[in-house]
Amino acid sequence: LKKQVGRGHGFGGSTLLHLAVREPDFLGGLVLFDSGVRTPESKRGELGPLRQMSPEDNRRFLADRLFGPDDPPSLRDKIIAEMFEVPPEVGRPMSETVLGFDSGTAAVRCKLPSLFLLADKPFTDDATLARLGPNWRLGKVVGAGHFIQLVAPAQVNAMVDRYLELIGRA
């Protein structure tokens, strides 16, 4: 029986990364879609100030950070509106988990075959990418912000299909 390759976007990718490190025999590999793979200090430096921003400044920050110039404005507006519908009792704990999880170290510790697909402006940094082991493959999606799988599905699917073929999981 083949083990499944876990696939996750953003925080979902970080959740899978945590699982892969804690239970390395559970999955057969990982595919991360622009997940925030970096140190907690790096995340807090960029995302921590969101808590003190006005709702309008927060919306502007999210629009600038999560979306690229090639992303459809209607998608940007829809996703940001949905983000603001998340109740604070759900959003706050999720935010704390995102900011506190050392996904950079977890990625270095992860030994599963892994594909990390990056957006134009990825939620990682060169120092973290340089520390990844030989089990990691990197890909960059052209012309897409954070929601790469929605903006450029043909590119993303082609890279995932090829990766699965290479690791014998297709």
Side-chain angles (χ1 to χ4, degrees), residues 34 66-73 75 118-122 139-156 159:
D34 199 39
L66 297 178
F67 300 91
D70 303 310
D71 293 349
L75 179 68
L118 307 171
D120 276 340
K121 197 165 42 172
K140 186 154 186 181
V141 177
V142 177
H146 181 60
F147 296 90
I148 58 177
Q149 73 281 15
L150 299 177
V151 174
Q155 279 185 71
V156 170
M159 285 191 278

Side-chain angles (χ1 to χ4, degrees), residues 27-106:
L27 296 169
L30 294 177
V31 177
L32 306 184
F33 303 101
D34 199 39
S35 295
V37 177
R38 56 189 176 161
T39 65
E41 296 76 26
S42 172
K43 287 187 254 184
R44 279 190 213 103
E46 181 182 22
L47 304 174
L50 284 171
R51 294 184 192 131
Q52 286 76 42
M53 289 183 186
S54 71
E56 190 52 41
D57 287 342
N58 202 307
R59 285 179 192 270
R60 254 191 309 281
F61 173 86
L62 292 172
D64 291 342
R65 186 59 181 96
L66 297 178
F67 300 91
D70 303 310
D71 293 349
S74 59
L75 179 68
R76 177 198 64 221
D77 296 345
K78 179 180 186 280
I79 289 174
I80 290 175
E82 289 174 358
M83 290 174 83
F84 274 81
E85 290 176 9
V86 174
E89 63 272 13
V90 173
R92 247 183 257 108
M94 188 176 117
S95 172
E96 290 301 319
T97 302
V98 167
L99 293 176
F101 176 52
D102 188 350
S103 52
T105 298

